[in-house]
Amino acid sequence: MTGYTATVTVRLKAGVLDPEAETTKRALQRLDFDVEKVRRSDRFQVEFEADSPTDAEERATEMTERLLANPTIHDFDVEVDQQ
Amino acid sequence: MTGYTATVTVRLKAGVLDPEAETTKRALQRLDFDVEKVRRSDRFQVEFEADSPTDAEERATEMTERLLANPTIHDFDVEVDQQ
């Protein structure tokens, strides 16, 4: 078993309303920053042990599908690095 | 003026308690994933116009210091790409 760090980025699918990003955009505009668009995503770094990079990526994807992301509204990508 | 996208990653400084990451770790463990550590960060992608890459990076850093991050508890990094 080797230690791996999975970096999981979870973002809302295109077309899903993101009131938090919208609020952030308006707050930046109130501070006189002329921004056109704000998108927000969550990034998780998860450390765990696995037998191989393939195994690590499969497990990180399963963690994401079961807990970190909601497949109805989120897209995600998973990157795995050996520690 | 050219369009730029700034990618700002905001994370808690080392030593600052992160109850959300701790809760995520325990939830993964309850689902039988043997994870050692979870860290969470926020990623913002902000689109705006600027005169040069240097100008874009300075403005994105100012946005982060004034709104997106709290310098007392957060570290951040800013990456700027031309659109």
Side-chain angles (χ1 to χ4, degrees):
Chain A
M1 300 281 267
T2 317
Y4 290 89
T5 301
T7 302
V8 179
T9 305
V10 178
R11 70 189 85 71
L12 288 168
K13 286 184 177 173
V16 178
L17 288 182
D18 187 347
E20 188 176 342
E22 190 58 33
T23 303
T24 303
K25 186 178 90 172
R26 287 195 206 155
L28 286 170
Q29 288 169 340
R30 268 198 302 275
L31 291 170
D32 271 337
F33 292 109
D34 187 19
V35 302
E36 280 147 35
K37 192 170 182 180
V38 174
R39 280 187 298 268
R40 221 193 59 78
S41 50
D42 286 319
R43 207 174 64 164
F44 298 92
Q45 285 183 294
V46 185
E47 295 178 14
F48 57 98
E49 303 221 317
D51 291 325
S52 69
T54 310
D55 178 40
E57 191 164 338
E58 280 174 13
R59 290 179 56 201
T61 302
E62 199 190 336
M63 289 179 208
T64 305
E65 288 171 342
R66 292 188 62 189
L67 184 76
L68 305 178
N70 175 346
T72 308
I73 56 169
H74 291 132
D75 283 328
F76 65 86
D77 54 63
V78 172
E79 270 181 56
V80 166
D81 295 300
Q82 207 166 317
Q83 278 166 15
Chain B
M1 300 281 268
T2 317
Y4 290 89
T5 301
T7 302
V8 179
T9 305
V10 178
R11 70 189 85 71
L12 288 168
K13 285 185 177 173
V16 177
L17 288 181
D18 187 348
E20 189 176 341
E22 190 59 31
T23 303
T24 304
K25 185 177 90 172
R26 286 194 205 155
L28 286 169
Q29 288 169 340
R30 268 197 303 275
L31 291 171
D32 271 337
F33 293 108
D34 188 20
V35 303
E36 280 147 34
K37 192 170 182 179
V38 175
R39 281 187 297 268
R40 220 191 59 78
S41 50
D42 286 319
R43 209 175 60 164
F44 298 91
Q45 286 183 294
V46 185
E47 294 178 15
F48 58 98
E49 303 221 317
D51 291 324
S52 68
T54 309
D55 178 40
E57 190 164 337
E58 280 174 11
R59 289 180 56 201
T61 302
E62 198 190 336
M63 290 179 207
T64 306
E65 287 172 343
R66 291 188 62 190
L67 184 77
L68 305 178
N70 174 345
T72 308
I73 56 169
H74 292 133
D75 284 328
F76 64 86
D77 54 63
V78 173
E79 270 180 56
V80 166
D81 294 300
Q82 205 166 321
Q83 278 167 15

